[in-house]
Amino acid sequence: MESYIIILLCLAAFAAGFIDAIVGGGGLIQTPMGLILLPNLPVSTVIGTLKLPAFSGTAFAAFQYLKKVVIQWKLLLIMMFLAVPSAFLGSAILTYVSNDFMKPLLLVVLSLLLIYTYAKKNFGQHVAKEHSDKTQILYAVVISIIVGFYDGFIGPGTGSFLVVAFIALMGFDFLHASANAKMVNLATNFGSICLFISKGKIIWAIALPMAASNALGGWMGAKLAINKGNGFIRIFFLVVVIGTLIRFAYDVFYK
């Protein structure tokens, strides 16, 4: 494989890791670049290979958040435990079934999400809800199963959906939502990686240099998000949702 292809993939991985660390959505850069630059490989092999850099970037970003943000470990461990098999199942189904039928629905959901977040200026700016332990666990189970399956089955925008779920359902602010989302996303990536390794779908010569690049981007993005706080993350979130909308609109109307 030509060296310039690896370099371009590593640059895409760095950008994806940087964006993902702040509010999710790095797959909007990394996945299309992988499909464009590796056209002769099966789609499942490309997606499987890209899961490793996604995992490494998320891991480095999560480490930065853990040093600065208070985490509810009991709740988070429940979510991570459930997210792994959910993502594994989603990736397993992806190897047999196309996911294109869900994209029109996601286009509508993202449009409503964008309007709501833009109109509601205080969305995610501070901790807004106090739930009972039982209610929190119920929401945690629902979020981890649904979003975990989504990440394995579709992928792009998973981090953003997790951030929204933590804010809208759990009452977190953007900073705490981003921190917790990274940990759950780490689990969903791990679940998918287990499936793709078992199927022999990861090309390690591509995945490993991309993983290093994504990790560097994740480290830098997390430090920036922590330093800038909720207002900065909200603006970044809106930009990423717009990008996700454009991606799904293209898939729906032009493919």
Side-chain angles (χ1 to χ4, degrees):
M1 180 176 294
E2 293 87 344
S3 58
Y4 80 90
I5 292 179
I6 298 294
I7 292 171
L8 289 175
L9 287 171
C10 286
L11 290 173
F14 173 83
F18 183 85
I19 292 172
D20 233 9
I22 298 173
V23 77
L28 297 172
I29 296 174
Q30 187 166 263
T31 302
M33 284 295 288
L35 294 172
I36 290 169
L37 293 173
L38 303 169
N40 298 322
L41 294 178
V43 173
S44 58
T45 299
V46 176
I47 300 300
T49 300
L50 296 181
K51 280 293 179 182
L52 190 67
F55 178 86
S56 68
T58 302
F60 271 74
F63 179 72
Q64 292 301 312
Y65 279 112
L66 289 179
K67 293 192 297 183
K68 300 291 184 179
V69 179
V70 176
I71 299 293
Q72 299 180 41
W73 280 108
K74 179 182 177 181
L75 194 68
L76 192 57
L77 288 173
I78 292 173
M79 297 184 74
M80 294 175 70
F81 179 80
L82 293 173
V84 172
S86 298
F88 185 96
L89 177 61
S91 293
I93 294 175
L94 177 62
T95 61
Y96 299 103
V97 180
S98 171
N99 60 25
D100 288 341
F101 68 92
M102 287 196 66
K103 290 177 180 176
L105 173 62
L106 291 170
L107 191 62
V108 174
V109 172
L110 283 167
S111 297
L112 295 174
L113 176 61
L114 178 66
I115 294 169
Y116 181 81
T117 305
Y118 179 77
K120 194 173 178 60
K121 304 298 183 183
N122 63 343
F123 181 70
Q125 296 305 299
H126 52 81
V127 178
K129 297 176 184 176
E130 290 291 340
H131 294 305
S132 67
D133 290 344
K134 185 176 180 180
T135 302
Q136 274 201 329
I137 291 174
L138 176 61
Y139 281 140
V141 169
V142 172
I143 291 169
S144 53
I145 291 175
I146 293 177
V147 181
F149 180 86
Y150 171 86
D151 191 30
F153 188 56
I154 298 178
T158 297
S160 300
F161 282 122
L162 281 168
V163 168
V164 170
F166 275 113
I167 294 173
L169 296 179
M170 309 289 278
F172 290 14
D173 60 21
F174 267 111
L175 183 61
H176 286 80
S178 294
N180 283 270
K182 289 295 150 291
M183 298 300 293
V184 179
N185 207 177
L186 199 63
T188 63
N189 283 329
F190 179 76
S192 292
I193 286 171
C194 289
L195 183 281
F196 287 121
I197 288 177
S198 71
K199 297 287 186 179
K201 296 294 186 180
I202 295 179
I203 301 177
W204 297 97
I206 298 173
L208 291 176
M210 288 186 70
S213 301
N214 199 297
L216 179 60
W219 176 76
M220 294 179 65
K223 288 184 74 69
L224 182 63
I226 292 167
N227 290 333
K228 294 292 185 179
N230 288 317
F232 170 78
I233 299 175
R234 177 182 180 274
I235 294 171
F236 218 94
F237 174 79
L238 288 170
V239 172
V240 169
V241 172
I242 290 171
T244 310
L245 266 174
I246 294 171
R247 162 74 186 279
F248 283 135
Y250 175 81
D251 287 347
V252 170
F253 297 112
Y254 295 101
K255 281 193 174 182

Short mmCIF file of all heavy atoms in Angstrom, two decimals, residues 58-83:
data_model
loop_
_atom_site.label_atom_id
_atom_site.label_comp_id
_atom_site.label_asym_id
_atom_site.label_seq_id
_atom_site.Cartn_x
_atom_site.Cartn_y
_atom_site.Cartn_z
N THR A 58 -10.60 7.40 21.93
CA THR A 58 -11.56 7.52 23.02
C THR A 58 -10.91 7.22 24.37
O THR A 58 -11.20 7.86 25.38
CB THR A 58 -12.75 6.56 22.79
OG1 THR A 58 -13.36 6.86 21.53
CG2 THR A 58 -13.79 6.70 23.88
N ALA A 59 -10.00 6.23 24.38
CA ALA A 59 -9.32 5.86 25.62
C ALA A 59 -8.46 7.01 26.15
O ALA A 59 -8.49 7.33 27.35
CB ALA A 59 -8.47 4.62 25.40
N PHE A 60 -7.70 7.65 25.27
CA PHE A 60 -6.85 8.75 25.70
C PHE A 60 -7.69 9.95 26.14
O PHE A 60 -7.35 10.63 27.12
CB PHE A 60 -5.89 9.16 24.57
CG PHE A 60 -4.60 8.40 24.59
CD1 PHE A 60 -4.55 7.08 24.17
CD2 PHE A 60 -3.43 8.99 25.04
CE1 PHE A 60 -3.36 6.37 24.19
CE2 PHE A 60 -2.23 8.29 25.06
CZ PHE A 60 -2.20 6.97 24.64
N ALA A 61 -8.78 10.22 25.43
CA ALA A 61 -9.66 11.32 25.82
C ALA A 61 -10.31 11.03 27.17
O ALA A 61 -10.39 11.90 28.04
CB ALA A 61 -10.74 11.52 24.75
N ALA A 62 -10.76 9.79 27.35
CA ALA A 62 -11.39 9.41 28.62
C ALA A 62 -10.43 9.59 29.79
O ALA A 62 -10.83 10.05 30.87
CB ALA A 62 -11.87 7.95 28.54
N PHE A 63 -9.16 9.25 29.58
CA PHE A 63 -8.17 9.39 30.64
C PHE A 63 -8.02 10.85 31.07
O PHE A 63 -7.92 11.15 32.27
CB PHE A 63 -6.82 8.84 30.16
CG PHE A 63 -5.73 8.97 31.19
CD1 PHE A 63 -5.72 8.17 32.32
CD2 PHE A 63 -4.71 9.89 31.02
CE1 PHE A 63 -4.71 8.29 33.26
CE2 PHE A 63 -3.70 10.02 31.96
CZ PHE A 63 -3.70 9.21 33.09
N GLN A 64 -8.06 11.76 30.10
CA GLN A 64 -7.96 13.18 30.42
C GLN A 64 -9.17 13.65 31.22
O GLN A 64 -9.06 14.39 32.19
CB GLN A 64 -7.84 14.00 29.13
CG GLN A 64 -6.54 13.80 28.38
CD GLN A 64 -5.33 14.18 29.22
OE1 GLN A 64 -5.29 15.23 29.83
NE2 GLN A 64 -4.34 13.31 29.24
N TYR A 65 -10.35 13.21 30.81
CA TYR A 65 -11.58 13.60 31.52
C TYR A 65 -11.59 13.05 32.94
O TYR A 65 -12.02 13.73 33.88
CB TYR A 65 -12.81 13.09 30.77
CG TYR A 65 -13.23 13.96 29.61
CD1 TYR A 65 -13.11 13.51 28.29
CD2 TYR A 65 -13.78 15.22 29.81
CE1 TYR A 65 -13.53 14.30 27.22
CE2 TYR A 65 -14.18 16.02 28.75
CZ TYR A 65 -14.05 15.54 27.46
OH TYR A 65 -14.45 16.33 26.41
N LEU A 66 -11.13 11.82 33.10
CA LEU A 66 -11.17 11.19 34.42
C LEU A 66 -10.31 11.94 35.44
O LEU A 66 -10.58 11.89 36.64
CB LEU A 66 -10.69 9.74 34.33
CG LEU A 66 -11.64 8.76 33.61
CD1 LEU A 66 -11.03 7.37 33.56
CD2 LEU A 66 -12.99 8.71 34.31
N LYS A 67 -9.29 12.64 34.97
CA LYS A 67 -8.42 13.38 35.88
C LYS A 67 -9.07 14.67 36.38
O LYS A 67 -8.67 15.22 37.40
CB LYS A 67 -7.09 13.72 35.18
CG LYS A 67 -6.24 12.51 34.88
CD LYS A 67 -4.83 12.89 34.46
CE LYS A 67 -4.82 13.69 33.17
NZ LYS A 67 -3.43 14.01 32.72
N LYS A 68 -10.11 15.15 35.67
CA LYS A 68 -10.68 16.46 35.98
C LYS A 68 -12.16 16.44 36.34
O LYS A 68 -12.67 17.38 36.95
CB LYS A 68 -10.50 17.39 34.76
CG LYS A 68 -9.06 17.63 34.34
CD LYS A 68 -8.31 18.46 35.38
CE LYS A 68 -6.89 18.78 34.90
NZ LYS A 68 -6.16 19.60 35.87
N VAL A 69 -12.87 15.39 35.96
CA VAL A 69 -14.33 15.36 36.11
C VAL A 69 -14.73 14.25 37.06
O VAL A 69 -14.23 13.12 36.97
CB VAL A 69 -15.01 15.16 34.73
CG1 VAL A 69 -16.53 15.10 34.90
CG2 VAL A 69 -14.62 16.27 33.76
N VAL A 70 -15.65 14.55 37.96
CA VAL A 70 -16.16 13.55 38.91
C VAL A 70 -17.08 12.57 38.18
O VAL A 70 -17.99 12.98 37.45
CB VAL A 70 -16.92 14.23 40.06
CG1 VAL A 70 -17.53 13.18 40.99
CG2 VAL A 70 -16.00 15.16 40.83
N ILE A 71 -16.83 11.28 38.36
CA ILE A 71 -17.58 10.23 37.67
C ILE A 71 -18.37 9.41 38.69
O ILE A 71 -17.88 9.07 39.77
CB ILE A 71 -16.63 9.29 36.91
CG1 ILE A 71 -15.84 10.06 35.84
CG2 ILE A 71 -17.39 8.13 36.28
CD1 ILE A 71 -16.67 10.58 34.71
N GLN A 72 -19.63 9.08 38.34
CA GLN A 72 -20.44 8.18 39.15
C GLN A 72 -20.13 6.74 38.70
O GLN A 72 -20.76 6.21 37.79
CB GLN A 72 -21.92 8.48 38.98
CG GLN A 72 -22.32 9.88 39.42
CD GLN A 72 -23.81 10.13 39.23
OE1 GLN A 72 -24.64 9.26 39.51
NE2 GLN A 72 -24.15 11.31 38.76
N TRP A 73 -19.15 6.13 39.34
CA TRP A 73 -18.61 4.87 38.82
C TRP A 73 -19.61 3.72 38.83
O TRP A 73 -19.62 2.90 37.89
CB TRP A 73 -17.36 4.49 39.62
CG TRP A 73 -16.16 5.25 39.17
CD1 TRP A 73 -15.52 6.25 39.83
CD2 TRP A 73 -15.47 5.08 37.93
NE1 TRP A 73 -14.47 6.73 39.08
CE2 TRP A 73 -14.42 6.02 37.92
CE3 TRP A 73 -15.64 4.24 36.83
CZ2 TRP A 73 -13.53 6.12 36.83
CZ3 TRP A 73 -14.77 4.34 35.77
CH2 TRP A 73 -13.72 5.28 35.78
N LYS A 74 -20.45 3.64 39.84
CA LYS A 74 -21.42 2.54 39.89
C LYS A 74 -22.33 2.59 38.67
O LYS A 74 -22.56 1.57 37.99
CB LYS A 74 -22.25 2.63 41.17
CG LYS A 74 -23.30 1.53 41.29
CD LYS A 74 -24.13 1.69 42.56
CE LYS A 74 -25.23 0.63 42.64
NZ LYS A 74 -26.06 0.79 43.86
N LEU A 75 -22.83 3.77 38.37
CA LEU A 75 -23.72 3.95 37.23
C LEU A 75 -22.98 3.69 35.92
O LEU A 75 -23.49 3.01 35.01
CB LEU A 75 -24.28 5.37 37.25
CG LEU A 75 -25.48 5.67 36.35
CD1 LEU A 75 -26.71 4.93 36.86
CD2 LEU A 75 -25.74 7.17 36.34
N LEU A 76 -21.79 4.22 35.82
CA LEU A 76 -21.03 4.12 34.58
C LEU A 76 -20.62 2.68 34.28
O LEU A 76 -20.66 2.23 33.12
CB LEU A 76 -19.79 5.01 34.66
CG LEU A 76 -19.04 5.23 33.35
CD1 LEU A 76 -19.96 5.83 32.30
CD2 LEU A 76 -17.85 6.15 33.58
N LEU A 77 -20.24 1.93 35.31
CA LEU A 77 -19.84 0.54 35.09
C LEU A 77 -21.01 -0.31 34.61
O LEU A 77 -20.83 -1.22 33.79
CB LEU A 77 -19.25 -0.04 36.38
CG LEU A 77 -17.87 0.50 36.76
CD1 LEU A 77 -17.46 -0.03 38.13
CD2 LEU A 77 -16.82 0.12 35.71
N ILE A 78 -22.21 -0.02 35.10
CA ILE A 78 -23.41 -0.71 34.60
C ILE A 78 -23.58 -0.44 33.12
O ILE A 78 -23.83 -1.36 32.31
CB ILE A 78 -24.66 -0.26 35.38
CG1 ILE A 78 -24.61 -0.75 36.82
CG2 ILE A 78 -25.94 -0.77 34.69
CD1 ILE A 78 -25.72 -0.21 37.70
N MET A 79 -23.43 0.82 32.73
CA MET A 79 -23.61 1.21 31.34
C MET A 79 -22.56 0.57 30.44
O MET A 79 -22.86 0.07 29.35
CB MET A 79 -23.57 2.72 31.20
CG MET A 79 -24.67 3.44 31.95
SD MET A 79 -24.68 5.22 31.69
CE MET A 79 -25.33 5.32 30.02
N MET A 80 -21.31 0.58 30.88
CA MET A 80 -20.24 0.00 30.08
C MET A 80 -20.42 -1.51 29.93
O MET A 80 -20.19 -2.08 28.85
CB MET A 80 -18.89 0.32 30.71
CG MET A 80 -18.54 1.81 30.68
SD MET A 80 -17.01 2.21 31.56
CE MET A 80 -15.80 1.49 30.44
N PHE A 81 -20.86 -2.16 31.02
CA PHE A 81 -21.07 -3.61 30.98
C PHE A 81 -22.15 -3.97 29.95
O PHE A 81 -22.01 -4.96 29.21
CB PHE A 81 -21.47 -4.10 32.37
CG PHE A 81 -21.75 -5.57 32.44
CD1 PHE A 81 -20.70 -6.48 32.52
CD2 PHE A 81 -23.06 -6.04 32.44
CE1 PHE A 81 -20.96 -7.85 32.57
CE2 PHE A 81 -23.32 -7.40 32.50
CZ PHE A 81 -22.27 -8.31 32.57
N LEU A 82 -23.22 -3.19 29.88
CA LEU A 82 -24.30 -3.46 28.94
C LEU A 82 -23.97 -3.02 27.52
O LEU A 82 -24.45 -3.61 26.54
CB LEU A 82 -25.58 -2.76 29.40
CG LEU A 82 -26.20 -3.27 30.70
CD1 LEU A 82 -27.35 -2.37 31.13
CD2 LEU A 82 -26.70 -4.71 30.51
N ALA A 83 -23.15 -1.99 27.39
CA ALA A 83 -22.84 -1.45 26.06
C ALA A 83 -22.00 -2.41 25.23
O ALA A 83 -22.13 -2.44 23.99
CB ALA A 83 -22.11 -0.11 26.20
#
